[in-house]
């Protein structure tokens, strides 16, 4: 676990949740902090930040090591770093800084501080990751259900990390300058929609940042069926699926992604406004 340098201190036996309310009479609680995730595990924190977060997204959670110790999990590009936040019995310490209340701690993060890990990675804390996040409600009907390998037991099941809100598959795309249609392999991961020449191609032809996309909708202007479009400031991309069901699935999950992006931006703007008011 990457961790910032922390002075040593004896851990208190008091309830840490009560101690976060120490703010000269203010009745603030750690549970009221929107980016505190409680007993979320390290593994789950990494899955959340890598699947739906951005570079600079972060969250606070209970440390798995001992009571009174918390972990700040921060996404740094394609990895997640973890840092200790320690309660010493009198104050909270993060790196070389010390805070006597939750208000001071939050105020520090509102300024988007730069932190560095012992491995040399530098990160700007930009986006607090909310504890409550909606998940896409997209389900498919079972058409085939048969055992592919017999004789296997529950001990043969190896769980893998979940990835929220991802999709991939072939779509037919209209060209930008030359209005011909070509089949491309598309992958949706985090806030990026990539398309490749085919499924085996190692490098994408293009990466579309969904934070720049303003709308996803069915399209009936083309002489094709099962089409939809993605509207960007610089261009509208026209795509067609093999079936109407598949087109509907793409539209649903892309719209869900856009809704999450907008909610995240609204939360950040609201947080900035409220913190600017509180700490004037």
């Amino acid at each position: 676990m990457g961790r910032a340098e922390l002075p040593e201190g004896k851990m208190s036996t008091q309830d840490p949740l009560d101690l976060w309310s120490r703010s000269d009479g203010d009745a603030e609680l750690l549970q009221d902090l929107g980016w505190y995730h409680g007993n979320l595990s390290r593994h789950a924190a990494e899955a959340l930040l890598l699947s739906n977060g951005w570079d600079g997204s972060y969250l606070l959670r209970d440390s798995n090591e001992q009571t009174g110790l918390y972990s700040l999990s921060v996404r740094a590009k394609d990895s997640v770093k973890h840092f200790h936040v320690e309660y010493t019995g009198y104050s909270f310490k993060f790196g070389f800084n010390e805070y006597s209340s939750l208000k001071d701690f939050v105020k520090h993060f509102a300024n988007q501080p730069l932190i560095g890990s012992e491995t040399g990675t530098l990160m700007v804390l930009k986006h607090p990751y909310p504890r409550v996040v909606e998940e896409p409600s997209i389900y498919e009907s079972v058409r085939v259900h048969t055992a592919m390998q017999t004789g296997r037991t529950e001990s043969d099941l190896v769980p893998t990390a979940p990835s929220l809100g991802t999709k991939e598959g072939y779509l037919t795309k209209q060209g930008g300058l030359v209005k011909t249609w070509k089949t491309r392999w598309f992958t949706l991961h985090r806030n990026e929609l990539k398309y490749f020449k085919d499924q085996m191609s190692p490098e994408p032809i293009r990466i579309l940042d969904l934070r720049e996309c303003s709308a996803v909708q069915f399209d009936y202007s083309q002489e094709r069926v099962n089409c939809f479009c993605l509207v960007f400031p610089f261009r509208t991309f026209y795509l067609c699926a093999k079936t109407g069901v598949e087109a509907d699935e793409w539209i649903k999950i892309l719209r869900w992604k856009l809704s999450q992006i907008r909610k995240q931006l609204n939360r950040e703007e609201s947080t900035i406004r409220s913190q600017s008011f509180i700490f004037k």
Side-chain angles (χ1 to χ4, degrees), residues 9-17 19-20 62-70 85-89 92:
K10 185 177 180 181
M11 305 303 294
S12 170
T13 57
Q14 294 175 270
D15 186 351
L17 292 183
L19 297 168
W20 281 94
D62 297 336
S63 173
N64 301 329
E65 298 180 2
Q66 55 187 326
T67 302
L69 195 62
Y70 301 89
V85 177
E86 180 184 3
Y87 178 69
T88 65
F92 292 89

Side-chain angles (χ1 to χ4, degrees), residues 117-130:
S117 69
E118 59 190 8
T119 60
T121 302
L122 295 177
M123 294 153 282
V124 178
L125 304 182
K126 299 178 182 178
H127 313 293
Y129 191 92

Side-chain angles (χ1 to χ4, degrees), residues 36 60 77 84 102 122 126 190 194 211 213 229 261:
Y36 169 63
L60 185 70
K77 295 184 179 180
H84 277 155
L102 176 62
L122 295 177
K126 299 178 182 178
R190 301 169 192 160
K194 302 178 183 179
R211 288 173 290 184
C213 182
C229 63
I261 291 171

